[in-house]
Amino acid sequence: MKFFILLFFFFSFFSNFSQTLRVEDESTGTPLESITLISYEPYVYTTTNSKGQANISEFKESVLIEISMLGYRTVLIGYDELKHQDFILKMKAVPLNMSEVVISATKWNQQSDNIPSKVIGMSLKEVLFQQPQTTADLLHQTGKVFIQKSQQGGGSPLIRGFATNRLLYSIDGIRMNTAIFRGGNLQNIISLDQFSIERTEVLFGPGSVIYGSDAIGGVMSFRTLTPQLSTNNDIITSGNALFRFATANEEKTGHFHLNYGGAKWAGVSSLSFNDFGDLKMGSYGPDDYLRPKYVVRENGMDVIKENKDPRIQTPSGYNQYNLMQKIRFKPNEKWDFNYGFHYSTTSEYARYDFMQRTKNGTLRYGEWNYGPQKWMMNLVDIENKSSVILFDAVNLKLSYQFFEESRISRNLNKTARTTELEKVFAYSGNLDFNKVFNKKNQFSYGIEYVLNHVNSTGQVENINNGEIQGAPSRYPESDWVSLAVYLMDSYKLSETINMLGGLRYNQYQIDAVFDTTYFPFPFTESNISNGALTGSWGLVYKPIEIFEVNFNASTAFRSPNVDDFGKLFGPTEGTVMVPNPNLKEEYAYNVDLGIASLINENVKAEIFGYYTYLKDALVRRKFTFNGASQIMYDGDLSDVYAIQNAANAKVWGIQGAIEVKLLSGLGFKTNANYQKGEEELDNGAKSPSRHVAPFFANAALNYRKNKINLQLNAVYNAEKTFEQMPEEEKAKTYIYALDANGNIYSPAWYTLNFKSDFQINSHLKLLAGVENITDQRYRPYSSGISGAGRNYIISVRTDF
């Protein structure tokens, strides 16, 4: 560490002179971190560091600088005026804002009130207060994203009636979606360390113009910690460390990160560790969720044991660690070089919902585990700001990601353990340009190349003698390639109307080789090659500063991936999915309309309505394999299914929010989400859409004063009756409660929760809370594991 600090000091000593601006809270004098400064003529931008400082040498020619942050009144000021103020700016806290700076909508800094789509943001400060155990829990706490869990080591977001491979995950501008993202529930989101995420943004609705395939229901954009530079020749260091314990799953979490920076060089190092025990559910709710028995391996035998405490969901525990290292070099005002390394791995963990399955009156599996989930990303990010004819700023991102996941299963009292191992090697290159003609017109365009190589193997091991034999793989050896070009323009038609529109053309291709050694595929090679054109156009009408209307019309697409095209597996007992090379992309057509208003700076209300029509949806349908509608698979005579472009679907809904600032330090906020959807079945009948969540809402009462921050909040989910259940869900009797008629349903539930933090001194903070105060026994819709019962949380954090 001393070596790095000395190295940074050496480069900093020879750095050029820079002009430092210090931004403070008007009332307290506290330095303000992450304040955004933007100038449109010339086009430059920056943010303040942990000391509230920013190097504004690039702004010397700026007539007008827009300085903003959520929770503070936006300041419009010139460079010369800042000079007259000795480069110290005091910003006034305001109860509520109509706008904040977001990146996810266009890849470049823009005020959210210039964007017709709904975008929400969550800062690291909010995350540290809420204390989510995983990044999936972080999204849940926004009150606008529904989370499904099949096991404790999971979390699959549902947004506007879409999920899994119809949502896009972006980390530091790089797509995390791979060629094996499936239509079933995913848990890749937990690979992201919530403590290293500087800012989370969720864009609701289609985002294919910027992000390409899969961005139908929304985009979840995560920006990890940025190395902070010093604004002078001094070396700056900052960071935090925390330890947390929670009772419901005996969670033990530790995190540490450190930023160290000079004038030209900076770095940030982050490490997190989580240890989760078996999760204990609540006391009051359906008995159907209890875990009366479980399987253990003793003396070479599978033994079914009585659970001494049926509220403990055994087995569900796991552990995980995350590592991040970033290095930044900014030699001058024009160039900014960044390298980032991310690594995450979990232990092996049980698929809890499958461990509840029964066969012939007893538990079906002796084991059904996911192997360690691994993710690694290397990212080189280079940005240049030069005012030339073609651009004012250009950004190049080159990345390599590695994903590993596996499935390990063995039937009860059987010796054959089947393991399917998947590895994805993902390469991508993004070249994005931004041209600001003036404050009215901002034009961006770019190209993207993505290559995913999928390697999949299968084996069967005799657990008695260790003998290993080959077995069919889940996927063929495959390459999935995407090449795209896009453009987007933001244009201020008048003082009250802003337009944002764009187009994207995407060419994609899949090449696959099928191994017939263990399964009689009717082909050994297959490929798909096609293209997709998408677009968006929207308006923001803002007649006065405190009122706006948003309208957006957009299309999106999802190209078939390797999971759609070439998967071989048994989703349920008596069924088997087989490959189908005759697929094409599915299209979504979407319309949004929203209204937001600020009343007397103390009340903010907003409502968004949307309608999405999905055409040629890639869905599971009955199929034939070598002319047969049934084949033997995993020891069972199974009906044959395959993914096909065989249905249309539609989703519509409303999202609303109200935020109120009451007395000094007291505030109230609530979010509500209502959605409906239906899709076609084999016979042409309609069924509720599988990924449409029931009505869900949250409400929070906050009190912040001096060193104390308190919050009492409630979370509510409505019931899904048997009649409201999708046909696909009705066969999953092992995860749902039973109604009076013996039919499955998802009961309504609520939790009451309390969070607090207390600033002991300038460096030490104590956080404590109680989740599910009334100890409800509940299970979110479509989930295979129940939520935590009454959960006491204690955390100690030090900032330096």
Side-chain angles (χ1 to χ4, degrees):
M1 186 59 67
K2 290 182 179 178
F3 171 77
F4 281 112
I5 292 176
L6 289 171
L7 182 65
F8 292 163
F9 177 78
F10 173 80
F11 281 104
S12 298
F13 182 80
F14 291 100
S15 64
N16 295 325
F17 169 77
S18 63
Q19 181 56 62
T20 301
L21 172 70
R22 177 179 170 87
V23 184
E24 303 175 350
D25 183 285
E26 182 181 81
S27 301
T28 65
T30 305
L32 298 177
E33 183 180 0
S34 299
I35 294 286
T36 302
L37 295 84
I38 301 177
S39 167
Y40 292 95
E41 298 181 62
Y43 179 66
V44 289
Y45 54 88
T46 190
T47 58
T48 57
N49 61 22
S50 60
K51 312 294 183 184
Q53 299 172 335
N55 179 355
I56 61 168
S57 302
E58 299 173 86
F59 291 80
K60 286 181 180 179
E61 305 301 321
S62 300
V63 178
L64 198 64
I65 305 171
E66 190 174 274
I67 305 175
S68 63
M69 180 181 177
L70 191 65
Y72 287 85
R73 190 184 302 280
T74 298
V75 175
L76 300 175
I77 193 171
Y79 183 89
D80 290 340
E81 191 173 348
L82 288 173
K83 185 177 181 180
H84 287 310
Q85 297 176 189
D86 296 325
F87 296 104
I88 296 176
L89 179 68
K90 298 182 181 295
M91 295 187 69
K92 182 179 180 179
V94 293
L96 298 167
N97 291 85
M98 281 291 287
S99 181
E100 62 179 316
V101 175
V102 296
I103 297 175
S104 56
T106 63
K107 289 192 177 182
W108 301 94
N109 287 323
Q110 275 205 321
Q111 290 289 342
S112 59
D113 59 1
N114 288 328
I115 297 167
S117 299
K118 174 63 180 171
V119 181
I120 63 168
M122 192 174 188
S123 68
L124 179 58
K125 183 178 179 181
E126 296 172 86
V127 173
L128 292 174
F129 174 70
Q130 292 294 340
Q131 294 289 301
Q133 291 191 340
T134 68
T135 302
D137 297 332
L138 180 160
L139 290 169
H140 164 72
Q141 288 170 353
T142 66
K144 294 181 171 69
V145 178
F146 189 91
I147 298 295
Q148 179 278 350
K149 291 187 179 183
S150 297
Q151 63 280 327
Q152 187 177 195
S156 189
L158 279 67
I159 299 177
R160 290 191 172 186
F162 296 99
T164 59
N165 54 20
R166 292 187 179 119
L167 300 176
L168 196 286
Y169 303 78
S170 173
I171 297 87
D172 290 336
I174 301 300
R175 64 181 288 134
M176 192 183 198
N177 295 43
T178 72
I180 62 170
F181 264 38
R182 55 191 179 273
N185 298 304
L186 295 168
Q187 56 266 4
N188 298 74
I189 192 75
I190 69 169
S191 291
L192 305 179
D193 178 12
Q194 69 272 24
F195 295 116
S196 69
I197 297 173
E198 187 172 79
R199 180 169 172 82
T200 300
E201 292 181 7
V202 181
L203 183 150
F204 293 89
S208 281
V209 169
I210 296 296
Y211 295 97
S213 178
D214 306 0
I216 290 177
V219 175
M220 291 158 285
S221 175
F222 304 93
R223 186 176 74 223
T224 58
L225 294 168
T226 302
Q228 296 181 350
L229 296 162
S230 170
T231 58
N232 49 42
N233 289 330
D234 295 333
I235 301 297
I236 63 168
T237 58
S238 62
N240 70 49
L242 68 82
F243 176 78
R244 183 175 68 214
F245 177 77
T247 59
N249 55 0
E250 298 185 346
E251 177 205 12
K252 294 172 283 291
T253 287
H255 168 76
F256 171 80
H257 82 255
L258 173 67
N259 183 93
Y260 32 92
K264 291 188 177 184
W265 287 83
V268 61
S269 305
S270 174
L271 177 66
S272 296
F273 175 78
N274 311 93
D275 182 42
F276 303 112
D278 289 340
L279 182 63
K280 187 174 184 177
M281 68 181 80
S283 301
Y284 307 105
D287 289 345
D288 305 275
Y289 297 155
L290 294 173
R291 178 71 161 160
K293 298 178 181 180
Y294 62 95
V295 180
V296 296
R297 188 77 177 169
E298 291 182 348
N299 301 318
M301 300 275 295
D302 287 332
V303 180
I304 297 178
K305 288 198 169 187
E306 296 291 329
N307 194 349
K308 293 180 181 179
D309 186 349
R311 293 167 55 203
I312 296 178
Q313 300 174 91
T314 302
S316 60
Y318 74 104
N319 59 60
Q320 175 175 343
Y321 71 84
N322 287 74
L323 171 68
M324 183 186 78
Q325 176 63 54
K326 284 188 169 184
I327 299 173
R328 182 182 184 187
F329 174 52
K330 190 174 184 181
N332 53 47
E333 296 172 358
K334 293 185 181 295
W335 289 97
D336 197 350
F337 298 85
N338 286 268
Y339 167 74
F341 172 79
H342 303 259
Y343 182 77
S344 173
T345 185
T346 69
S347 63
E348 189 173 292
Y349 55 93
R351 177 150 184 186
Y352 182 78
D353 61 340
F354 277 16
M355 292 300 291
Q356 298 172 79
R357 284 183 172 184
T358 59
K359 185 176 182 180
N360 300 325
T362 189
L363 293 173
R364 174 171 181 173
Y365 292 107
E367 57 183 303
W368 208 116
N369 298 330
Y370 284 113
Q373 179 174 289
K374 299 179 182 180
W375 171 65
M376 179 184 71
M377 181 169 79
N378 290 270
L379 170 63
V380 175
D381 186 335
I382 303 171
E383 185 165 295
N384 175 263
K385 288 184 277 191
S386 299
S387 293
V388 297
I389 294 176
L390 294 178
F391 60 85
D392 290 311
V394 57
N395 181 267
L396 173 66
K397 287 182 170 68
L398 300 173
S399 76
Y400 163 66
Q401 296 180 82
F402 170 75
F403 301 82
E404 180 179 302
E405 59 185 55
S406 56
R407 295 160 180 81
I408 306 162
S409 62
R410 183 178 57 81
N411 288 331
L412 188 72
N413 294 320
K414 301 296 183 182
T415 60
R417 175 192 287 144
T418 300
T419 299
E420 296 174 330
L421 175 65
E422 280 73 56
K423 298 179 181 180
V424 179
F425 306 86
Y427 308 85
S428 70
N430 295 78
L431 186 60
D432 300 295
F433 301 86
N434 193 40
K435 179 65 179 178
V436 178
F437 295 102
N438 49 55
K439 193 175 181 180
K440 288 186 175 182
N441 193 4
Q442 185 171 343
F443 185 75
S444 57
Y445 59 100
I447 57 175
E448 179 188 68
Y449 173 80
V450 180
L451 166 64
N452 283 191
H453 176 72
V454 178
N455 173 258
S456 181
T457 58
Q459 69 173 41
V460 176
E461 177 188 3
N462 185 311
I463 62 173
N464 283 345
N465 59 27
E467 180 182 338
I468 296 177
Q469 297 181 339
S473 62
R474 185 179 178 90
Y475 302 113
E477 195 82 7
S478 311
D479 286 327
W480 182 89
V481 178
S482 169
L483 180 62
V485 58
Y486 79 91
L487 55 88
M488 180 164 280
D489 189 39
S490 176
Y491 189 82
K492 203 167 186 65
L493 298 174
S494 69
E495 290 300 316
T496 60
I497 300 176
N498 192 76
M499 180 197 74
L500 182 67
L503 289 171
R504 179 189 184 101
Y505 180 75
N506 218 117
Q507 187 71 27
Y508 63 87
Q509 182 170 319
I510 305 176
D511 295 299
V513 177
F514 291 84
D515 185 354
T516 58
T517 304
Y518 306 106
F519 199 82
F521 294 109
F523 39 74
T524 57
E525 293 184 4
S526 190
N527 61 74
I528 295 176
S529 181
N530 216 330
L533 178 68
T534 54
S536 66
W537 183 85
L539 295 172
V540 179
Y541 174 58
K542 195 171 184 179
I544 54 177
E545 191 63 29
I546 59 172
F547 179 82
E548 68 180 51
V549 179
N550 303 68
F551 170 80
N552 193 53
S554 54
T555 62
F557 80 100
R558 185 174 78 82
S559 65
N561 63 19
V562 175
D563 185 85
D564 303 308
F565 163 86
K567 179 165 60 178
L568 176 69
F569 90 119
T572 58
E573 186 176 347
T575 65
V576 60
M577 293 286 295
V578 299
N580 177 16
N582 300 310
L583 298 176
K584 63 180 182 178
E585 67 279 359
E586 58 183 15
Y587 270 96
Y589 303 86
N590 179 82
V591 176
D592 284 80
L593 181 64
I595 299 173
S597 181
L598 190 61
I599 305 168
N600 296 327
E601 290 193 344
N602 292 310
V603 179
K604 182 180 178 181
E606 62 181 30
I607 186 168
F608 265 78
Y610 57 90
Y611 176 89
T612 305
Y613 178 73
L614 187 64
K615 182 181 179 183
D616 296 325
L618 291 159
V619 294
R620 184 185 302 172
R621 290 289 185 265
K622 287 189 174 181
F623 200 61
T624 58
F625 186 81
N626 286 335
S629 60
Q630 289 185 318
I631 59 173
M632 292 298 297
Y633 182 79
D634 197 23
D636 295 320
L637 182 63
S638 302
D639 294 326
V640 176
Y641 286 79
I643 297 295
Q644 302 173 56
N645 294 101
N648 298 323
K650 55 186 177 182
V651 178
W652 63 97
I654 296 173
Q655 293 175 291
I658 297 174
E659 188 170 1
V660 182
K661 296 301 181 183
L662 302 167
L663 304 175
S664 177
L666 191 64
F668 172 79
K669 185 174 183 179
T670 184
N671 295 281
N673 305 268
Y674 175 81
Q675 51 199 294
K676 299 288 285 185
E678 62 181 31
E679 58 188 35
E680 290 180 321
L681 299 177
D682 276 347
N683 58 9
K686 304 292 184 184
S687 168
S689 294
R690 176 187 175 191
H691 290 132
V692 170
F695 173 82
F696 64 101
N698 71 354
L701 186 65
N702 298 278
Y703 178 75
R704 182 187 293 272
K705 195 72 172 179
N706 299 326
K707 296 181 178 181
I708 297 176
N709 189 9
L710 308 174
Q711 183 186 89
L712 180 66
N713 72 66
V715 177
Y716 173 76
N717 272 218
E719 177 185 70
K720 258 194 187 267
T721 65
F722 177 74
E723 291 73 22
Q724 295 170 327
M725 280 287 177
E727 289 299 315
E728 193 173 346
E729 291 294 295
K730 290 181 178 179
K732 301 176 183 178
T733 55
Y734 51 94
I735 66 173
Y736 287 107
L738 300 180
D739 63 19
N741 298 317
N743 295 318
I744 66 159
Y745 81 117
S746 180
W749 58 268
Y750 77 93
T751 62
L752 292 176
N753 315 281
F754 174 75
K755 302 287 179 68
S756 68
D757 70 35
F758 176 69
Q759 191 78 45
I760 298 173
N761 56 44
S762 59
H763 296 293
L764 191 62
K765 180 174 283 191
L766 177 67
L767 302 97
V770 186
E771 295 177 333
N772 194 3
I773 295 170
T774 58
D775 205 24
Q776 298 299 300
R777 184 183 305 147
Y778 69 95
R779 185 172 289 184
Y781 162 71
S782 194
S783 293
I785 190 168
S786 299
R790 187 180 295 119
N791 186 29
Y792 296 95
I793 305 167
I794 185 74
S795 177
V796 178
R797 188 176 97 231
T798 179
D799 298 292
F800 51 89

